[in-house]
Amino acid sequence: MRRPDETDSEFLRTYDPDAYERPSVAVDVVLLSVRDGRMCTLLVRRKERPQAGRWALPGGFVGIQESLESAAQRVLRAKAAIEDNVFVEQLYTFGEPERDPRMRIISVAYVALVPFELQATAGSAEPDRSVSTVGIPWHGATGGAVELRDSDGRIMKTAFDHADIVGMAVKRIRGKLDYTPIGFQLLPETFTLRQLQRVHEVIQDQPVNKDSFRRRMLASGHLEATGERQRDVEHRPAELYRFIKRSAV
Amino acid sequence: MRRPDETDSEFLRTYDPDAYERPSVAVDVVLLSVRDGRMCTLLVRRKERPQAGRWALPGGFVGIQESLESAAQRVLRAKAAIEDNVFVEQLYTFGEPERDPRMRIISVAYVALVPFELQATAGSAEPDRSVSTVGIPWHGATGGAVELRDSDGRIMKTAFDHADIVGMAVKRIRGKLDYTPIGFQLLPETFTLRQLQRVHEVIQDQPVNKDSFRRRMLASGHLEATGERQRDVEHRPAELYRFIKRSAV
DNA sequence: GAAATAGTGTCTTTAAGACAGTATGTG
DNA sequence: CACATACTGTCTTAAAGACACTATTTC
C-alpha cells in the first residue's frame, strides 16, 4: 500500500472521484490448447442478452479492489475450473466505445495456455453451461479476427469482438514461440520431443525440420531427460523430457 | 468483490451498471526518442497533488465515448504538440489496485516513437509546463523499472509506477526491433545506414556488426535509396535512404 | 521378420562476422 | 597530399536443413 504524505492525504479528502463518468472494466480470457493438430480455445454460450446464443470468451468484471491478473485467475477458476499454476499473460486491452452495446466496457484480455486434457475437463465440467472447444482455422497471416468452428466444422457465431481477441492471442503466442520456451505449457508435465515439435508445427502452421528442432531444443538447456520412456505406443517408445527453468546465465 | 461461486447467468443478471463501483481508466504515453547515443522520453512535472513535483508520463483520463487510441493521440497533441503521423502502439495495461493513491485508476500505456527533433520541440513547446527529456540508463536485463535522469545525470523522482511503464516500453521496442522495421521511426524521413545502425545499437545497448547490418537492411526490402547524399559532413557523404512499406509478399 | 518411429553422424547450404581493399568526399 | 568515412568483395565460422543410416519397440 502506497503511503501518501500528509499533504497528499489532505488532498485526497477533497478529491471528487465522481467528476467524470467512468467505463466498466472487464477481463476476458483466451484459454488456448492444442488438440489433434489444431489450436482450440474455450468458449461459453451466452444465455443473456445482448447477443444471447452467441459464443463468448470466459470473462467477468474487475472488482474495485481486485488486480487485473487476479480477476483473470478468478475467471479461470470460476468458468474453467482451472487453478493458478498455468501460464497466464496479459494480451491486449480492447476499448472501442461501441464494442459492447450495453455500455462502455473496456476489456483487458489475457491468454492462458493449458494442456488439452485440462481444457477438456474444463469444457465438460458444467454441462449446463454449454462450454465447448473449437479449432482455429489458420489463414497464414497473423492478427485480425479468426473463424471459430465446433468439432463438426460449423462456424460458431461469436459475441462482440471476441473473434479479434482470439486472433490477437494466436498472433502473440506464435510470436513468442521463437524466442521463449512456452510450447511445453501446452503439454503434460513430461512429453517427448516429437510431441513438442507437433505443438510448434500447429502454432506456426508449418512443418518444422525434425533434426534441427531436436538440436535447438536440447541445446537450449530448458529440457531435462527423465530417463522414463513412452508406454503403450505401437513403435519404439521415445524418451520423456521435462521442462526445467533456465539457470542464471 | 470476488464471487467465484456465482454462475455466469447470475453474475450477468445481477450486474447493475450502477451497483458496483467502477475504476477510472487513463492512458499514459511513453514518447521515446534516441539522442546522443541514449534513449530518452518525455516527462511532465506534476503540479497537482498527489505526488506534486514528481515527474510523470504525459497522460489523461479516457473519455466515456473516446477510444483508447484516440485518447493516446489526444494526449500527444495536448501535452507534446505531436500530430497523428507518428508510430503509436498499445503497450500494456497497469491495474494494481494501489498504484494511484487517489482512487482505483487503471492505466492503458502506449508507446510512441519520434525523431529526437520532434521531441525536443515538444519539450520546449510550453515551458510553463516544465517538460523535460531524460536518458534511460541501461541495465542489460529487460523489463522492470528503470532509472530516469535529467541532462545533468541527476535521478528524477518519478510518480506512481511510471518508471515500470518506461521499462516495459524499452523492453517492447527492443524486442520488436529484431523482426519489425521500427528503427526508422526514430529518424528523420531520410537517413543514412550508419544513423540507422546507431539507433539499433542504442536500443539494444550493444555494438552491431556494420557489414552484416548493411546486408540485412538492404536485403529486407524496406529501404529505398533516394539518390541524395549527406551534406555538411567532414568526410565522404553517405547515401540517404527512405523507408518504404514492404510490398505484398 | 515387417513396420514404424526414435535417435545419430555427416554433408550441404545459408547467414552472420571478420577483414582487406577500393572509392570519394573534406581540409 | 593526408585523412576520414562510405562502400565492396571474399574468406571464415556457426547454425539450419537434408539425408543416409542405425536402434528399438510392437505386431
Side-chain angles (χ1 to χ4, degrees), chain A residues 79-138:
Chain A
K79 301 201 173 181
I82 282 176
E83 292 304 320
D84 294 356
N85 51 353
V86 301
F87 174 91
V88 176
E89 180 181 271
Q90 189 185 304
L91 173 64
Y92 195 79
T93 298
F94 294 79
E96 288 303 308
E98 305 298 337
R99 60 180 291 280
D100 190 307
R102 280 173 289 184
M103 53 184 171
R104 181 75 191 274
I105 300 182
I106 291 171
S107 172
V108 184
Y110 278 79
V111 202
L113 301 181
V114 292
F116 176 66
E117 297 72 34
L118 266 183
Q119 175 161 115
T121 310
S124 60
E126 311 216 9
D128 61 323
R129 228 183 238 163
S130 305
V131 179
S132 171
T133 61
V134 295
I136 301 172
W138 198 263

Side-chain angles (χ1 to χ4, degrees), chain B residues 18 38 43 86 126 142 160 174 187 195 202 217 247:
Chain B
D18 297 321
R38 289 189 176 278
L43 295 181
V86 301
E126 310 216 10
T142 51
F160 314 121
R174 189 185 233 192
L187 291 170
Q195 290 173 323
V202 169
M217 287 302 128
S247 52

